[in-house]
Amino acid sequence: MEHITTQDAVRFIETCREGSVAATVTPQHLLRNRNALFQGGLQPHNYCLPVLKREIHRQAIVSAVTSGNKRFFLGTDSAPHERQRKEATCGCAGIYNAPVALAAYAKVFEEAGALEYLEAFTSFNGPDFYGLPRNESKIKLIKKSWKMPEYYDLKDGGQLVPMFAGENLDWLPSTLQECSI
């Protein structure tokens, strides 16, 4: 199942025969609930499909992915829609999380006291489920505070607003450190 968002989906995955059904989970569904769409007014950069759900569903998904259960794995569903298309009368659905996905997942696993399961969730569970080879390259996460830019400028003059725009994050992927963020 792609991008599960509910407690019901977690229960379904857990009741299926091992190896038959698994699910991907996005960083936004682990870290945000439906209130993030409306805090301080409508927040178009938190609008995604499937839409963010109630806190009880977010908690169930966090519990499932941080349990070490191999049926759950990373699925960012990163959606780099330009600011003008998000902040529109009929805005595009999707959250641009690619620059912060690993830092976001690390935050979830650290808060749950389950960092020992992070590598499997991000790197092993998916390829193992699909019978694909594991990637041999590595990314190192460093416990170091850094600030996500408010936006990224595009060559055509547009902008991309990332998840956690302007916020400080606690985990820095080595690939970002090498880029001098």
Side-chain angles (χ1 to χ4, degrees):
M1 297 177 68
E2 291 293 320
H3 318 310
I4 64 167
T5 62
T6 65
Q7 182 178 45
D8 304 309
V10 169
R11 286 184 190 143
F12 175 75
I13 298 296
E14 292 174 340
T15 61
C16 290
R17 182 179 44 83
E18 180 123 8
S20 64
V21 179
T24 63
V25 181
T26 70
Q28 58 265 25
H29 290 101
L30 288 171
L31 288 163
R32 297 198 167 134
N33 63 35
R34 67 183 181 187
N35 294 337
L37 285 167
F38 306 107
Q39 291 174 334
L42 184 62
Q43 301 297 319
H45 297 284
N46 287 331
Y47 170 53
C48 60
L49 292 175
V51 72
L52 299 171
K53 304 294 191 290
R54 292 181 306 169
E55 180 64 10
I56 190 169
H57 297 293
R58 187 193 71 78
Q59 289 176 358
I61 295 168
V62 167
S63 180
V65 303
T66 60
S67 71
N69 187 327
K70 295 178 181 190
R71 297 176 185 197
F72 300 96
F73 45 90
L74 177 148
T76 62
D77 194 28
S78 189
H81 298 299
E82 289 186 58
R83 178 190 294 262
Q84 68 182 18
R85 297 193 64 208
K86 291 287 290 176
E87 298 173 6
T89 304
C90 186
C92 293
I95 295 176
Y96 179 47
N97 61 38
V100 296
L102 290 177
Y105 287 125
K107 174 182 174 63
V108 170
F109 280 78
E110 179 183 38
E111 288 176 354
L115 280 173
E116 69 270 19
Y117 300 125
L118 177 62
E119 184 178 25
F121 173 81
T122 60
S123 303
F124 303 152
N125 297 353
D128 291 354
F129 177 79
Y130 289 111
L132 299 171
R134 291 179 174 180
N135 194 331
E136 294 183 24
S137 63
K138 301 274 184 180
I139 294 174
K140 183 176 182 180
L141 285 169
I142 301 161
K143 182 76 171 174
K144 178 181 179 183
S145 182
W146 61 285
K147 187 173 184 174
M148 173 53 60
E150 293 281 342
Y151 56 86
Y152 291 99
D153 286 319
L154 300 172
K155 290 179 184 178
D156 67 0
Q159 295 177 334
L160 290 177
V161 177
M163 184 176 181
F164 295 118
E167 294 182 37
N168 289 322
L169 298 163
D170 294 328
W171 289 95
L172 179 65
S174 62
T175 55
L176 292 179
Q177 183 182 34
E178 294 160 5
C179 295
S180 300
I181 287 185

